[in-house]
Amino acid sequence: MSTSSSTQPVMGSVDLVCQDGVQLKGHFLPAFGGRQAPTERPVLLCPATGVRQHFYLRFAAWLAEQGHDVLVFDYRGIGLSLQGRLKDCRATLVEWGQQDQVAALDWLVRRTGQEQVLLLGHSAGGQMIGLLPNHRHIARVVGVATSTGWFRGMRPGFRFTARAVLRGVIPLGIRLKGYAPCSKVGLGEDLPAAVALQWGQWCAAGGYATNAVKGRPQQDFHADIRIPITVLHATDDDIATPANVADLMRTYPAARRQVRHVAPRDHGLKAIGHIDWFRTSHQALWPLLAQALCEPV
């Protein structure tokens, strides 16, 4: 457990144990500063594919200052949750939802004593709610740059590049190295082979996580999700395009859904794209996320 000065939130390193015994590493930041958000519900911050938890810590500290308990973590096979050599890791993208997010959600509920929490998901972090058997503990989902990442829904030029990388370059790299060398092609951290291969398959098929549970109705909770889901995406995002956000929203037919398009120039920014929402250079966007979290359920 690490502590900081009296003017900074307390940040603690925590262990999360999944149902299959895999241990994950996370950070918990309790609400700080005396200001109370309109809701006292804790926030589970789920990272994007290939993005370590440390990328989100400054935003998480800011969110704690707004009155929220916050938990952020690394999925199995990435960052602090990688055990052993990456080439030996057999983690799958399905497990990130069915095991890792489930364990993180259960931990936060136990730690805070709250029956329901808010899930703030960046990209893939907000795409897998339909895989969580404990989804009843989520009061609201706020997705940031969240969509299905469907190749067909991307702009033509970017579509060609994305397909070539995820369906060609990355599989070749896996055959050569035993893991996905994503960092070499600008796709974040290197990933376990099966995670990257499923990522490419789901982006090619559309519907994202629905591909993990086809023919497995007992594991498919998409139609059961009735909570509010808000997705914010930037107008200059090549992945979370309007078409791909709509493709995601259709997978939750019973949810109360809303989409917000965010233009960089409206917030004094030159660009936002898919990743920059959580950078300190883009703090002008953070109140938008807090507002979306705190809307009445």
Side-chain angles (χ1 to χ4, degrees), residues 75-266:
Y75 300 109
R76 63 185 65 196
I78 187 171
L80 298 179
S81 295
L82 174 61
Q83 301 174 12
R85 299 187 306 172
L86 183 57
K87 66 185 300 182
D88 296 327
C89 181
R90 299 294 177 259
T92 68
L93 189 54
V94 177
E95 290 170 337
W96 283 12
Q98 291 180 333
Q99 293 285 340
D100 300 1
Q101 287 192 0
V102 168
L105 178 55
D106 281 345
W107 188 95
L108 188 57
V109 167
R110 290 195 303 270
R111 173 63 177 78
T112 62
Q114 297 285 333
E115 181 63 24
Q116 290 190 310
V117 307
L118 306 169
L119 190 147
L120 178 61
H122 183 202
S123 191
Q127 294 167 339
M128 295 186 281
I129 314 307
L131 302 182
L132 277 59
N134 58 348
H135 62 83
R136 69 186 183 281
H137 291 303
I138 302 173
R140 172 185 293 279
V141 173
V142 174
V144 180
T146 296
S147 73
T148 58
W150 192 17
F151 294 142
R152 190 178 298 179
M154 296 175 181
R155 300 177 181 93
F158 189 83
R159 177 194 311 162
F160 175 82
T161 301
R163 185 186 294 274
V165 171
L166 283 177
R167 301 293 278 169
V169 176
I170 291 300
L172 176 60
I174 289 172
R175 287 196 290 272
L176 294 174
K177 293 179 173 291
Y179 63 87
C182 296
S183 62
K184 302 297 184 183
V185 292
L187 288 180
E189 300 291 325
D190 294 337
L191 294 173
V195 169
L197 291 175
Q198 284 187 331
W199 184 17
Q201 291 164 1
W202 293 3
C203 288
Y208 206 71
T210 59
N211 293 284
V213 289
K214 285 182 178 177
R216 301 183 181 92
Q218 72 280 5
Q219 298 178 11
D220 187 355
F221 305 102
H222 287 82
D224 299 328
I225 305 296
R226 289 177 167 78
I227 56 177
I229 299 177
T230 300
V231 170
L232 298 93
H233 70 111
T235 55
D236 63 337
D237 192 332
D238 289 318
I239 299 172
T241 62
N244 281 343
V245 173
D247 187 44
L248 176 71
M249 290 303 211
R250 71 169 178 81
T251 67
Y252 301 108
R256 288 176 279 162
R257 301 161 288 176
Q258 59 177 318
V259 177
R260 296 178 183 170
H261 314 279
V262 180
R265 65 179 179 277
D266 291 343

Side-chain angles (χ1 to χ4, degrees), residues 10-29:
V10 176
M11 183 183 302
S13 177
V14 301
D15 295 327
L16 315 174
V17 181
C18 299
Q19 189 174 20
D20 61 1
V22 172
Q23 182 172 291
L24 310 176
K25 296 290 186 178
H27 282 86
F28 178 70
L29 299 90

